Amino acid sequence: METTSKTEPAVERVHAQLRSWLLDGTLSPGAMLSENDLSSRLAVSRTPVRGALRRLEAEGWLTIYPKRGALVRRLSFEEALAVADARQVLESAYVDAVSDEARAELCTRLDRMIDEEQDEARDGDYVKLVNRTIDFHRAFVEVGENPVLLQFYDHLRERQLVMTLQTPARVTGRWEEFTREHRNLVDLMRTGDRESFVTALRDHIVGTHGPVLGIRC
Amino acid sequence: METTSKTEPAVERVHAQLRSWLLDGTLSPGAMLSENDLSSRLAVSRTPVRGALRRLEAEGWLTIYPKRGALVRRLSFEEALAVADARQVLESAYVDAVSDEARAELCTRLDRMIDEEQDEARDGDYVKLVNRTIDFHRAFVEVGENPVLLQFYDHLRERQLVMTLQTPARVTGRWEEFTREHRNLVDLMRTGDRESFVTALRDHIVGTHGPVLGIRC
DNA sequence: AGAGTACATCTTGGATCCAAGAAGGGATGG
DNA sequence: CCATCCCTTCTTGGATCCAAGATGTACTCT
C-alpha cells in the first residue's frame, strides 16, 4: 500500500526551488547553472541537485550539455509562435464539442470572472488581474474536463510566463480592451460560433503576445 | 566501464534503453524497478540509472515513491479516456484552420497513404500496416506545422502504445473497415466539414480503442 | 608579435560509501 | 491459533571520491 512519506526528499525540495526560480525570473533563459553553486546555495550535496536538473531537463526547462553544464532554455521565435498557436488550439477545442448545459454554465462563470476583472482593473491590482485573465483563458480548457490536456496547457502557460518575464513590462493601459475582447469571446462561446470564436481568439492572443514575440526573443 | 563512447554519457544510454524497454513491453505497467538490478543488467553503476529514472519520472513513465522504488505507471481508465480525447482534439484541430492549398495537399497525401494501407493489408504485413495507420493519423496533426503540439501528440501515442501492449487481444480482421473509415475521414477533411469530421473521428477512435480500451487503428 | 601548444584548474559524470527507512520474517504474548 | 512487535535485511537517498573532459592561460617556437 502507498503511505505518505513523512520526510520530503531533498531532490524534491531542490526541484521545487529551482522551478520557482525559473518561474519568477531569478533564473532566466540563457543562464548557465553550476552544480557546485546550486548545491552550496541550497545547502545540499550535488547529488539531489543533479537529480533535480535531470527532471528539469525532461520537463523542457534546461538543456544539459555533457561535461559542460545546464543551460536555461530560451525559446526560439518559432517555438514561441508554436506555443501561442497550441494555446489557441486548446482553448478553442471545446467551443462546439461540449454539452449545451456545460457551455451555459461555463459562460455564466466566465461572465463572473470578467466582472471581477473589471473590479480589479479599477482597483489597479495588476497582479490579481493577470492571474484572473490566466484563469479566464484556462476556463475554456477546463470545460473539457480532460486532465491530460489541462496539464499540457498549464505547461504552455508556464513557458509563456517565462517569456513575458524577459520583456520589460509593457502591458499597461490596455485592460479595457482586453476586457472587451473577453466579453466578445464569451458571447461567441455562448452561441457556439466556432468559426468566429477561433478568429477572435487568435486576434486576442496575437494582440496580447504579439508585441512580446516581435520585440523580444 | 572504460570503453564507453566518449561522446554519449551513460545516463543517455540508460535512458534510451529503459525507454525502449517501456515501449516494447519488456517493462510493463505495474512493474517495480530495482536500481541494483538495472545497474548490473546495464553494466553501469547506480548513478546513471538514477539519473535516467528521474528523467523518466518527469516524462510521465514512472512514479518514484521515496525510499521505496520506481513503479511503471499504469494509466487509469479515466486517463486512458483523456488520452484518447486529447488525440481526437489534436487530430481535428486543423480541419478548418489551415489554408485550402495545405488541406488539398494533405488530402492527396492521405489518399496515397490509404492506398499503401490497402496494399499492405493485402500482403498481410501487419507491422507495416500499424505503422502506416499511425502515420495516417499523425498527418492530421502534422499539417498544423506546430512542433510543440506534434511532440505532445507523439507522447500521447506512446502512452497508447504501451496500453495496447498490455491487452492480449489483437484486432486482425477489421482492416477493411478501418480503411473505409479512413477514406471517409479524408473526404470530410477535403470538404472542411469540421462537425462531421469530429464525430466520424470520435466514432473511429472509440470504435477501435473502446473495446479493449487500449489502442488500435 | 602572433599562433599554436602544453599545462593548470575547474566542472561535470560515474563509482563508491554511509545512513535512514521500508519490507519481511520470526519470535513472543494474548 | 492469531495478532503484534522487534529485529534483520535489503533498497533507496545523500555525500564523497575519483576520473575524464573542457576551458583558459601562459609559454614557446617560428
Side-chain angles (χ1 to χ4, degrees), chain B residues 9-11 44-45 47-48 50 67-68:
Chain B
V11 60
V44 291
S45 79
T47 306
R50 274 201 267 179
K67 288 286 185 183
R68 305 209 21 208

PDB file of all heavy atoms in Angstrom, chain B residues 9-11 44-45 47-48 50 67-68, chain C residues 13-17 19-23:
ATOM      1  N   PRO B   9      27.067  10.217 -22.873  1.00  0.00           N
ATOM      2  CA  PRO B   9      27.119   9.827 -21.459  1.00  0.00           C
ATOM      3  C   PRO B   9      26.301   8.578 -21.201  1.00  0.00           C
ATOM      4  O   PRO B   9      25.343   8.274 -21.921  1.00  0.00           O
ATOM      5  CB  PRO B   9      26.507  11.039 -20.748  1.00  0.00           C
ATOM      6  CG  PRO B   9      26.644  12.166 -21.700  1.00  0.00           C
ATOM      7  CD  PRO B   9      26.549  11.555 -23.058  1.00  0.00           C
ATOM      8  N   ALA B  10      26.674   7.876 -20.135  1.00  0.00           N
ATOM      9  CA  ALA B  10      25.988   6.624 -19.792  1.00  0.00           C
ATOM     10  C   ALA B  10      24.520   6.866 -19.471  1.00  0.00           C
ATOM     11  O   ALA B  10      23.669   6.037 -19.788  1.00  0.00           O
ATOM     12  CB  ALA B  10      26.700   5.961 -18.614  1.00  0.00           C
ATOM     13  N   VAL B  11      24.247   7.993 -18.838  1.00  0.00           N
ATOM     14  CA  VAL B  11      22.857   8.245 -18.457  1.00  0.00           C
ATOM     15  C   VAL B  11      21.962   8.316 -19.691  1.00  0.00           C
ATOM     16  O   VAL B  11      20.796   7.893 -19.652  1.00  0.00           O
ATOM     17  CB  VAL B  11      22.756   9.554 -17.635  1.00  0.00           C
ATOM     18  CG1 VAL B  11      23.244  10.748 -18.432  1.00  0.00           C
ATOM     19  CG2 VAL B  11      21.342   9.775 -17.152  1.00  0.00           C
ATOM     20  N   VAL B  44      26.490  -0.666 -15.537  1.00  0.00           N
ATOM     21  CA  VAL B  44      26.897   0.655 -15.078  1.00  0.00           C
ATOM     22  C   VAL B  44      26.617   0.722 -13.580  1.00  0.00           C
ATOM     23  O   VAL B  44      26.037  -0.198 -13.014  1.00  0.00           O
ATOM     24  CB  VAL B  44      26.130   1.785 -15.796  1.00  0.00           C
ATOM     25  CG1 VAL B  44      26.526   1.872 -17.251  1.00  0.00           C
ATOM     26  CG2 VAL B  44      24.637   1.585 -15.648  1.00  0.00           C
ATOM     27  N   SER B  45      27.027   1.811 -12.968  1.00  0.00           N
ATOM     28  CA  SER B  45      26.737   1.957 -11.551  1.00  0.00           C
ATOM     29  C   SER B  45      25.332   2.507 -11.375  1.00  0.00           C
ATOM     30  O   SER B  45      24.613   2.774 -12.337  1.00  0.00           O
ATOM     31  CB  SER B  45      27.739   2.889 -10.889  1.00  0.00           C
ATOM     32  OG  SER B  45      27.417   4.225 -11.162  1.00  0.00           O
ATOM     33  N   THR B  47      24.478   5.353 -10.366  1.00  0.00           N
ATOM     34  CA  THR B  47      24.361   6.799 -10.629  1.00  0.00           C
ATOM     35  C   THR B  47      23.641   7.118 -11.941  1.00  0.00           C
ATOM     36  O   THR B  47      22.638   7.850 -11.931  1.00  0.00           O
ATOM     37  CB  THR B  47      25.743   7.453 -10.599  1.00  0.00           C
ATOM     38  OG1 THR B  47      26.374   7.118  -9.368  1.00  0.00           O
ATOM     39  CG2 THR B  47      25.627   8.939 -10.715  1.00  0.00           C
ATOM     40  N   PRO B  48      24.115   6.602 -13.075  1.00  0.00           N
ATOM     41  CA  PRO B  48      23.377   6.929 -14.307  1.00  0.00           C
ATOM     42  C   PRO B  48      21.971   6.355 -14.322  1.00  0.00           C
ATOM     43  O   PRO B  48      21.065   6.948 -14.927  1.00  0.00           O
ATOM     44  CB  PRO B  48      24.244   6.337 -15.409  1.00  0.00           C
ATOM     45  CG  PRO B  48      25.109   5.342 -14.732  1.00  0.00           C
ATOM     46  CD  PRO B  48      25.322   5.825 -13.339  1.00  0.00           C
ATOM     47  N   ARG B  50      19.988   6.181 -11.740  1.00  0.00           N
ATOM     48  CA  ARG B  50      19.158   7.126 -11.008  1.00  0.00           C
ATOM     49  C   ARG B  50      18.801   8.331 -11.861  1.00  0.00           C
ATOM     50  O   ARG B  50      17.655   8.789 -11.874  1.00  0.00           O
ATOM     51  CB  ARG B  50      19.890   7.584  -9.743  1.00  0.00           C
ATOM     52  CG  ARG B  50      19.672   6.648  -8.598  1.00  0.00           C
ATOM     53  CD  ARG B  50      19.960   7.363  -7.314  1.00  0.00           C
ATOM     54  NE  ARG B  50      21.344   7.176  -6.892  1.00  0.00           N
ATOM     55  CZ  ARG B  50      21.846   7.729  -5.807  1.00  0.00           C
ATOM     56  NH1 ARG B  50      21.098   8.519  -5.077  1.00  0.00           N
ATOM     57  NH2 ARG B  50      23.090   7.497  -5.464  1.00  0.00           N
ATOM     58  N   LYS B  67      12.197   6.215  -0.984  1.00  0.00           N
ATOM     59  CA  LYS B  67      12.697   5.089  -0.183  1.00  0.00           C
ATOM     60  C   LYS B  67      12.034   3.767  -0.533  1.00  0.00           C
ATOM     61  O   LYS B  67      12.222   2.782   0.163  1.00  0.00           O
ATOM     62  CB  LYS B  67      12.486   5.358   1.315  1.00  0.00           C
ATOM     63  CG  LYS B  67      13.407   6.412   1.887  1.00  0.00           C
ATOM     64  CD  LYS B  67      14.802   5.879   2.037  1.00  0.00           C
ATOM     65  CE  LYS B  67      15.673   6.900   2.721  1.00  0.00           C
ATOM     66  NZ  LYS B  67      17.060   6.414   2.810  1.00  0.00           N
ATOM     67  N   ARG B  68      11.205   3.746  -1.576  1.00  0.00           N
ATOM     68  CA  ARG B  68      10.503   2.501  -1.892  1.00  0.00           C
ATOM     69  C   ARG B  68      10.842   2.007  -3.273  1.00  0.00           C
ATOM     70  O   ARG B  68      11.024   0.813  -3.469  1.00  0.00           O
ATOM     71  CB  ARG B  68       9.006   2.714  -1.751  1.00  0.00           C
ATOM     72  CG  ARG B  68       8.692   3.256  -0.374  1.00  0.00           C
ATOM     73  CD  ARG B  68       7.358   2.896   0.159  1.00  0.00           C
ATOM     74  NE  ARG B  68       6.733   1.736  -0.426  1.00  0.00           N
ATOM     75  CZ  ARG B  68       5.423   1.601  -0.480  1.00  0.00           C
ATOM     76  NH1 ARG B  68       4.660   2.552  -0.020  1.00  0.00           N
ATOM     77  NH2 ARG B  68       4.893   0.514  -0.980  1.00  0.00           N
TER      78      ARG B  68
ATOM     79  P    DG C  13      27.067  16.222 -16.370  1.00  0.00           P
ATOM     80  OP1  DG C  13      26.377  16.164 -17.664  1.00  0.00           O
ATOM     81  OP2  DG C  13      26.297  16.460 -15.139  1.00  0.00           O
ATOM     82  O5'  DG C  13      27.903  14.884 -16.187  1.00  0.00           O
ATOM     83  C5'  DG C  13      28.668  14.399 -17.274  1.00  0.00           C
ATOM     84  C4'  DG C  13      29.190  13.017 -16.972  1.00  0.00           C
ATOM     85  O4'  DG C  13      30.208  13.109 -15.940  1.00  0.00           O
ATOM     86  C3'  DG C  13      28.138  12.045 -16.434  1.00  0.00           C
ATOM     87  O3'  DG C  13      28.349  10.763 -17.018  1.00  0.00           O
ATOM     88  C2'  DG C  13      28.378  12.046 -14.938  1.00  0.00           C
ATOM     89  C1'  DG C  13      29.880  12.289 -14.845  1.00  0.00           C
ATOM     90  N9   DG C  13      30.294  12.985 -13.636  1.00  0.00           N
ATOM     91  C8   DG C  13      29.721  14.108 -13.078  1.00  0.00           C
ATOM     92  N7   DG C  13      30.322  14.510 -11.989  1.00  0.00           N
ATOM     93  C5   DG C  13      31.359  13.599 -11.818  1.00  0.00           C
ATOM     94  C6   DG C  13      32.363  13.518 -10.819  1.00  0.00           C
ATOM     95  O6   DG C  13      32.526  14.260  -9.844  1.00  0.00           O
ATOM     96  N1   DG C  13      33.214  12.433 -11.022  1.00  0.00           N
ATOM     97  C2   DG C  13      33.118  11.551 -12.067  1.00  0.00           C
ATOM     98  N2   DG C  13      34.011  10.575 -12.102  1.00  0.00           N
ATOM     99  N3   DG C  13      32.193  11.610 -13.010  1.00  0.00           N
ATOM    100  C4   DG C  13      31.358  12.653 -12.826  1.00  0.00           C
ATOM    101  P    DG C  14      27.496   9.552 -16.523  1.00  0.00           P
ATOM    102  OP1  DG C  14      27.273   8.662 -17.681  1.00  0.00           O
ATOM    103  OP2  DG C  14      26.347  10.048 -15.761  1.00  0.00           O
ATOM    104  O5'  DG C  14      28.517   8.830 -15.541  1.00  0.00           O
ATOM    105  C5'  DG C  14      29.753   8.363 -16.051  1.00  0.00           C
ATOM    106  C4'  DG C  14      30.478   7.530 -15.021  1.00  0.00           C
ATOM    107  O4'  DG C  14      30.894   8.380 -13.924  1.00  0.00           O
ATOM    108  C3'  DG C  14      29.660   6.406 -14.395  1.00  0.00           C
ATOM    109  O3'  DG C  14      30.475   5.243 -14.277  1.00  0.00           O
ATOM    110  C2'  DG C  14      29.246   6.960 -13.046  1.00  0.00           C
ATOM    111  C1'  DG C  14      30.446   7.835 -12.696  1.00  0.00           C
ATOM    112  N9   DG C  14      30.149   8.957 -11.820  1.00  0.00           N
ATOM    113  C8   DG C  14      29.119   9.860 -11.935  1.00  0.00           C
ATOM    114  N7   DG C  14      29.120  10.766 -10.993  1.00  0.00           N
ATOM    115  C5   DG C  14      30.220  10.440 -10.216  1.00  0.00           C
ATOM    116  C6   DG C  14      30.725  11.065  -9.055  1.00  0.00           C
ATOM    117  O6   DG C  14      30.293  12.059  -8.472  1.00  0.00           O
ATOM    118  N1   DG C  14      31.870  10.414  -8.583  1.00  0.00           N
ATOM    119  C2   DG C  14      32.437   9.307  -9.161  1.00  0.00           C
ATOM    120  N2   DG C  14      33.516   8.813  -8.568  1.00  0.00           N
ATOM    121  N3   DG C  14      31.960   8.713 -10.247  1.00  0.00           N
ATOM    122  C4   DG C  14      30.863   9.335 -10.713  1.00  0.00           C
ATOM    123  P    DA C  15      29.874   3.934 -13.567  1.00  0.00           P
ATOM    124  OP1  DA C  15      30.405   2.789 -14.323  1.00  0.00           O
ATOM    125  OP2  DA C  15      28.424   4.089 -13.381  1.00  0.00           O
ATOM    126  O5'  DA C  15      30.589   3.949 -12.134  1.00  0.00           O
ATOM    127  C5'  DA C  15      32.004   4.038 -12.071  1.00  0.00           C
ATOM    128  C4'  DA C  15      32.486   3.940 -10.637  1.00  0.00           C
ATOM    129  O4'  DA C  15      32.186   5.165  -9.932  1.00  0.00           O
ATOM    130  C3'  DA C  15      31.864   2.804  -9.817  1.00  0.00           C
ATOM    131  O3'  DA C  15      32.885   2.142  -9.078  1.00  0.00           O
ATOM    132  C2'  DA C  15      30.858   3.512  -8.919  1.00  0.00           C
ATOM    133  C1'  DA C  15      31.501   4.879  -8.723  1.00  0.00           C
ATOM    134  N9   DA C  15      30.548   5.959  -8.516  1.00  0.00           N
ATOM    135  C8   DA C  15      29.429   6.231  -9.254  1.00  0.00           C
ATOM    136  N7   DA C  15      28.766   7.287  -8.853  1.00  0.00           N
ATOM    137  C5   DA C  15      29.497   7.740  -7.771  1.00  0.00           C
ATOM    138  C6   DA C  15      29.321   8.835  -6.905  1.00  0.00           C
ATOM    139  N6   DA C  15      28.307   9.699  -7.005  1.00  0.00           N
ATOM    140  N1   DA C  15      30.236   9.007  -5.922  1.00  0.00           N
ATOM    141  C2   DA C  15      31.259   8.151  -5.830  1.00  0.00           C
ATOM    142  N3   DA C  15      31.525   7.094  -6.588  1.00  0.00           N
ATOM    143  C4   DA C  15      30.599   6.946  -7.550  1.00  0.00           C
ATOM    144  P    DT C  16      32.525   0.895  -8.184  1.00  0.00           P
ATOM    145  OP1  DT C  16      33.666  -0.039  -8.272  1.00  0.00           O
ATOM    146  OP2  DT C  16      31.149   0.443  -8.492  1.00  0.00           O
ATOM    147  O5'  DT C  16      32.525   1.530  -6.709  1.00  0.00           O
ATOM    148  C5'  DT C  16      33.633   2.311  -6.297  1.00  0.00           C
ATOM    149  C4'  DT C  16      33.353   2.996  -4.966  1.00  0.00           C
ATOM    150  O4'  DT C  16      32.390   4.066  -5.140  1.00  0.00           O
ATOM    151  C3'  DT C  16      32.772   2.081  -3.877  1.00  0.00           C
ATOM    152  O3'  DT C  16      33.565   2.230  -2.699  1.00  0.00           O
ATOM    153  C2'  DT C  16      31.349   2.589  -3.703  1.00  0.00           C
ATOM    154  C1'  DT C  16      31.515   4.066  -4.038  1.00  0.00           C
ATOM    155  N1   DT C  16      30.271   4.749  -4.441  1.00  0.00           N
ATOM    156  C2   DT C  16      29.923   5.920  -3.797  1.00  0.00           C
ATOM    157  O2   DT C  16      30.591   6.416  -2.902  1.00  0.00           O
ATOM    158  N3   DT C  16      28.756   6.489  -4.235  1.00  0.00           N
ATOM    159  C4   DT C  16      27.923   6.021  -5.243  1.00  0.00           C
ATOM    160  O4   DT C  16      26.906   6.625  -5.553  1.00  0.00           O
ATOM    161  C5   DT C  16      28.354   4.794  -5.865  1.00  0.00           C
ATOM    162  C7   DT C  16      27.517   4.199  -6.966  1.00  0.00           C
ATOM    163  C6   DT C  16      29.494   4.229  -5.445  1.00  0.00           C
ATOM    164  P    DC C  17      33.336   1.254  -1.465  1.00  0.00           P
ATOM    165  OP1  DC C  17      34.662   0.751  -1.067  1.00  0.00           O
ATOM    166  OP2  DC C  17      32.240   0.312  -1.761  1.00  0.00           O
ATOM    167  O5'  DC C  17      32.819   2.282  -0.342  1.00  0.00           O
ATOM    168  C5'  DC C  17      33.502   3.525  -0.170  1.00  0.00           C
ATOM    169  C4'  DC C  17      32.757   4.374   0.855  1.00  0.00           C
ATOM    170  O4'  DC C  17      31.646   5.030   0.225  1.00  0.00           O
ATOM    171  C3'  DC C  17      32.184   3.580   2.032  1.00  0.00           C
ATOM    172  O3'  DC C  17      32.373   4.292   3.247  1.00  0.00           O
ATOM    173  C2'  DC C  17      30.707   3.454   1.672  1.00  0.00           C
ATOM    174  C1'  DC C  17      30.448   4.749   0.923  1.00  0.00           C
ATOM    175  N1   DC C  17      29.350   4.655  -0.063  1.00  0.00           N
ATOM    176  C2   DC C  17      28.364   5.650  -0.109  1.00  0.00           C
ATOM    177  O2   DC C  17      28.422   6.595   0.682  1.00  0.00           O
ATOM    178  N3   DC C  17      27.368   5.542  -1.018  1.00  0.00           N
ATOM    179  C4   DC C  17      27.335   4.519  -1.861  1.00  0.00           C
ATOM    180  N4   DC C  17      26.333   4.474  -2.742  1.00  0.00           N
ATOM    181  C5   DC C  17      28.322   3.501  -1.832  1.00  0.00           C
ATOM    182  C6   DC C  17      29.308   3.597  -0.925  1.00  0.00           C
ATOM    183  P    DA C  19      27.436   5.864   8.783  1.00  0.00           P
ATOM    184  OP1  DA C  19      28.168   6.599   9.823  1.00  0.00           O
ATOM    185  OP2  DA C  19      27.387   4.389   8.803  1.00  0.00           O
ATOM    186  O5'  DA C  19      25.937   6.415   8.742  1.00  0.00           O
ATOM    187  C5'  DA C  19      25.701   7.750   8.316  1.00  0.00           C
ATOM    188  C4'  DA C  19      24.248   7.942   7.894  1.00  0.00           C
ATOM    189  O4'  DA C  19      24.011   7.241   6.644  1.00  0.00           O
ATOM    190  C3'  DA C  19      23.222   7.394   8.880  1.00  0.00           C
ATOM    191  O3'  DA C  19      22.122   8.296   8.952  1.00  0.00           O
ATOM    192  C2'  DA C  19      22.800   6.074   8.256  1.00  0.00           C
ATOM    193  C1'  DA C  19      22.866   6.416   6.781  1.00  0.00           C
ATOM    194  N9   DA C  19      23.048   5.258   5.899  1.00  0.00           N
ATOM    195  C8   DA C  19      23.994   4.279   6.014  1.00  0.00           C
ATOM    196  N7   DA C  19      23.922   3.368   5.069  1.00  0.00           N
ATOM    197  C5   DA C  19      22.859   3.789   4.284  1.00  0.00           C
ATOM    198  C6   DA C  19      22.271   3.237   3.120  1.00  0.00           C
ATOM    199  N6   DA C  19      22.703   2.124   2.544  1.00  0.00           N
ATOM    200  N1   DA C  19      21.228   3.905   2.579  1.00  0.00           N
ATOM    201  C2   DA C  19      20.802   5.023   3.171  1.00  0.00           C
ATOM    202  N3   DA C  19      21.277   5.626   4.265  1.00  0.00           N
ATOM    203  C4   DA C  19      22.314   4.953   4.777  1.00  0.00           C
ATOM    204  P    DA C  20      21.152   8.291  10.197  1.00  0.00           P
ATOM    205  OP1  DA C  20      21.296   9.612  10.853  1.00  0.00           O
ATOM    206  OP2  DA C  20      21.375   7.045  10.977  1.00  0.00           O
ATOM    207  O5'  DA C  20      19.702   8.220   9.540  1.00  0.00           O
ATOM    208  C5'  DA C  20      19.421   9.023   8.401  1.00  0.00           C
ATOM    209  C4'  DA C  20      18.259   8.422   7.614  1.00  0.00           C
ATOM    210  O4'  DA C  20      18.745   7.312   6.804  1.00  0.00           O
ATOM    211  C3'  DA C  20      17.142   7.844   8.481  1.00  0.00           C
ATOM    212  O3'  DA C  20      15.884   8.202   7.923  1.00  0.00           O
ATOM    213  C2'  DA C  20      17.370   6.340   8.418  1.00  0.00           C
ATOM    214  C1'  DA C  20      17.902   6.197   7.009  1.00  0.00           C
ATOM    215  N9   DA C  20      18.697   4.991   6.788  1.00  0.00           N
ATOM    216  C8   DA C  20      19.719   4.520   7.568  1.00  0.00           C
ATOM    217  N7   DA C  20      20.264   3.414   7.120  1.00  0.00           N
ATOM    218  C5   DA C  20      19.552   3.136   5.965  1.00  0.00           C
ATOM    219  C6   DA C  20      19.638   2.096   5.024  1.00  0.00           C
ATOM    220  N6   DA C  20      20.528   1.103   5.106  1.00  0.00           N
ATOM    221  N1   DA C  20      18.781   2.120   3.981  1.00  0.00           N
ATOM    222  C2   DA C  20      17.890   3.111   3.905  1.00  0.00           C
ATOM    223  N3   DA C  20      17.713   4.146   4.736  1.00  0.00           N
ATOM    224  C4   DA C  20      18.584   4.101   5.747  1.00  0.00           C
ATOM    225  P    DG C  21      14.556   8.082   8.802  1.00  0.00           P
ATOM    226  OP1  DG C  21      13.956   9.427   8.833  1.00  0.00           O
ATOM    227  OP2  DG C  21      14.867   7.361  10.059  1.00  0.00           O
ATOM    228  O5'  DG C  21      13.657   7.133   7.901  1.00  0.00           O
ATOM    229  C5'  DG C  21      13.611   7.347   6.499  1.00  0.00           C
ATOM    230  C4'  DG C  21      13.179   6.078   5.791  1.00  0.00           C
ATOM    231  O4'  DG C  21      14.283   5.132   5.756  1.00  0.00           O
ATOM    232  C3'  DG C  21      12.025   5.336   6.474  1.00  0.00           C
ATOM    233  O3'  DG C  21      11.149   4.858   5.480  1.00  0.00           O
ATOM    234  C2'  DG C  21      12.719   4.170   7.165  1.00  0.00           C
ATOM    235  C1'  DG C  21      13.797   3.868   6.142  1.00  0.00           C
ATOM    236  N9   DG C  21      14.921   3.082   6.646  1.00  0.00           N
ATOM    237  C8   DG C  21      15.656   3.316   7.784  1.00  0.00           C
ATOM    238  N7   DG C  21      16.604   2.447   7.976  1.00  0.00           N
ATOM    239  C5   DG C  21      16.501   1.587   6.892  1.00  0.00           C
ATOM    240  C6   DG C  21      17.265   0.440   6.557  1.00  0.00           C
ATOM    241  O6   DG C  21      18.219  -0.052   7.158  1.00  0.00           O
ATOM    242  N1   DG C  21      16.817  -0.141   5.374  1.00  0.00           N
ATOM    243  C2   DG C  21      15.770   0.319   4.615  1.00  0.00           C
ATOM    244  N2   DG C  21      15.475  -0.357   3.519  1.00  0.00           N
ATOM    245  N3   DG C  21      15.041   1.395   4.924  1.00  0.00           N
ATOM    246  C4   DG C  21      15.468   1.968   6.070  1.00  0.00           C
ATOM    247  P    DA C  22       9.564   4.837   5.725  1.00  0.00           P
ATOM    248  OP1  DA C  22       8.988   6.039   5.119  1.00  0.00           O
ATOM    249  OP2  DA C  22       9.317   4.532   7.148  1.00  0.00           O
ATOM    250  O5'  DA C  22       9.129   3.574   4.854  1.00  0.00           O
ATOM    251  C5'  DA C  22       9.667   3.421   3.546  1.00  0.00           C
ATOM    252  C4'  DA C  22       9.852   1.952   3.226  1.00  0.00           C
ATOM    253  O4'  DA C  22      11.059   1.459   3.851  1.00  0.00           O
ATOM    254  C3'  DA C  22       8.712   1.056   3.713  1.00  0.00           C
ATOM    255  O3'  DA C  22       8.318   0.182   2.673  1.00  0.00           O
ATOM    256  C2'  DA C  22       9.325   0.284   4.878  1.00  0.00           C
ATOM    257  C1'  DA C  22      10.778   0.210   4.456  1.00  0.00           C
ATOM    258  N9   DA C  22      11.715   0.052   5.571  1.00  0.00           N
ATOM    259  C8   DA C  22      11.802   0.815   6.696  1.00  0.00           C
ATOM    260  N7   DA C  22      12.742   0.447   7.526  1.00  0.00           N
ATOM    261  C5   DA C  22      13.325  -0.638   6.902  1.00  0.00           C
ATOM    262  C6   DA C  22      14.386  -1.487   7.271  1.00  0.00           C
ATOM    263  N6   DA C  22      15.076  -1.356   8.409  1.00  0.00           N
ATOM    264  N1   DA C  22      14.718  -2.479   6.418  1.00  0.00           N
ATOM    265  C2   DA C  22      14.027  -2.618   5.287  1.00  0.00           C
ATOM    266  N3   DA C  22      13.008  -1.880   4.826  1.00  0.00           N
ATOM    267  C4   DA C  22      12.703  -0.899   5.702  1.00  0.00           C
ATOM    268  P    DA C  23       6.932  -0.541   2.709  1.00  0.00           P
ATOM    269  OP1  DA C  23       6.188  -0.157   1.497  1.00  0.00           O
ATOM    270  OP2  DA C  23       6.329  -0.340   4.034  1.00  0.00           O
ATOM    271  O5'  DA C  23       7.357  -2.073   2.554  1.00  0.00           O
ATOM    272  C5'  DA C  23       8.249  -2.427   1.509  1.00  0.00           C
ATOM    273  C4'  DA C  23       8.859  -3.800   1.777  1.00  0.00           C
ATOM    274  O4'  DA C  23       9.851  -3.696   2.831  1.00  0.00           O
ATOM    275  C3'  DA C  23       7.843  -4.846   2.244  1.00  0.00           C
ATOM    276  O3'  DA C  23       8.072  -6.060   1.545  1.00  0.00           O
ATOM    277  C2'  DA C  23       8.125  -4.995   3.733  1.00  0.00           C
ATOM    278  C1'  DA C  23       9.615  -4.701   3.793  1.00  0.00           C
ATOM    279  N9   DA C  23      10.057  -4.180   5.083  1.00  0.00           N
ATOM    280  C8   DA C  23       9.543  -3.116   5.774  1.00  0.00           C
ATOM    281  N7   DA C  23      10.152  -2.863   6.910  1.00  0.00           N
ATOM    282  C5   DA C  23      11.147  -3.826   6.971  1.00  0.00           C
ATOM    283  C6   DA C  23      12.141  -4.113   7.934  1.00  0.00           C
ATOM    284  N6   DA C  23      12.283  -3.397   9.058  1.00  0.00           N
ATOM    285  N1   DA C  23      12.966  -5.149   7.684  1.00  0.00           N
ATOM    286  C2   DA C  23      12.805  -5.860   6.561  1.00  0.00           C
ATOM    287  N3   DA C  23      11.908  -5.692   5.581  1.00  0.00           N
ATOM    288  C4   DA C  23      11.101  -4.649   5.852  1.00  0.00           C
TER     289       DA C  23
END
